[in-house]
Amino acid sequence: MNAIRALFLFSLLFSTAARAADDAQDWDAFGHVLTLVQAAVRIGANPNPDQAMADLLAGRNHEANQAIASLFAGATAEMPAQYRDRVASIGRDIASLALQNPATSAVETISTERSLQARKNLNAMGLRYYDEGEFLDAVKRNDQLAAELFVVARGVNLDARTWTGRSAVDIARDNGNAKLAELISRSLPAKR
């Protein structure tokens, strides 16, 4: 979920919450809005926020479903049935469109920006972000900064080996740089 969409969602929910709180008779609506805010915050804290948002929009969050249904029932209580059905249909269509066209996640955007900046930094240092030999040389000389930039830049095979068969993790461990060895090994792609 991108930052603009999150900001819009929170402003909408909080403005609704403020209006609900003004009416002392409508504390139930305020509680339902708080439930939705809590669901949105949990999406942001989820390790896979796009999937969590998709689950919410697909109706797989029972707590949020009940809150939305209660808010909808309260908001449309005095509305003629034909219009109530049309408003519900519009809501379902919006949720369906959001599921079909997910926005780029904020995590993915930040990761791409970090990767691009790391590539620029390596270039400024005279290193090619895609050169595995330069990556292994950086690890050999215990150049923590350059090695970390290679990891973030995502341009080399982190499991590349020297002509003797040693990997970057092996070299870092042999140099006594456990921190770098851990970073590289944590960043290795999963084995199939």
Side-chain angles (χ1 to χ4, degrees):
M1 175 169 42
N2 64 27
I4 294 172
R5 205 167 79 191
L7 181 61
F8 175 73
L9 177 66
F10 288 126
S11 66
L12 177 68
L13 291 174
F14 282 120
S15 67
T16 305
R19 276 188 246 119
D22 286 343
D23 184 4
Q25 302 296 326
D26 210 7
W27 283 105
D28 284 340
F30 182 70
H32 297 310
V33 170
L34 288 178
T35 299
L36 293 174
V37 169
Q38 187 175 31
V41 170
R42 286 181 181 157
I43 287 171
N46 192 303
N48 189 350
D50 289 337
Q51 182 60 47
M53 177 58 87
D55 289 344
L56 178 76
L57 293 173
R60 291 188 285 265
N61 183 325
H62 179 70
E63 201 173 55
N65 289 349
Q66 285 191 322
I68 290 170
S70 296
L71 285 172
F72 180 77
T76 61
E78 297 177 15
M79 188 181 288
Q82 67 199 38
Y83 298 127
R84 186 179 318 124
D85 293 341
R86 288 173 68 185
V87 170
S89 176
I90 290 169
R92 285 189 297 273
D93 290 346
I94 290 171
S96 175
L97 284 172
L99 274 173
Q100 292 171 8
N101 303 307
T104 303
S105 74
V107 172
E108 185 178 314
T109 302
I110 290 169
S111 177
T112 301
E113 289 172 3
R114 286 186 66 220
S115 178
L116 180 61
Q117 187 59 50
R119 290 175 180 199
K120 289 177 181 178
N121 291 345
L122 284 167
N123 187 48
M125 296 167 69
L127 299 171
R128 295 176 298 227
Y129 71 89
Y130 54 85
D131 191 320
E132 291 170 354
E134 289 184 2
F135 165 61
L136 291 169
D137 287 341
V139 175
K140 282 179 198 171
R141 65 177 181 271
N142 249 348
D143 188 341
Q144 184 84 20
L145 176 62
E148 287 178 10
L149 287 171
F150 274 107
V151 170
V152 173
R154 297 183 299 183
V156 296
N157 173 8
L158 298 177
D159 203 24
R161 303 195 177 259
T162 64
W163 65 272
T164 60
R166 293 174 55 214
S167 71
V169 174
D170 298 332
I171 296 167
R173 285 190 182 129
D174 291 346
N175 287 346
N177 194 338
K179 181 180 174 186
L180 182 57
E182 175 64 27
L183 171 71
I184 296 168
S185 99
R186 235 187 11 246
S187 302
L188 288 170
K191 300 281 184 184
R192 291 184 186 221

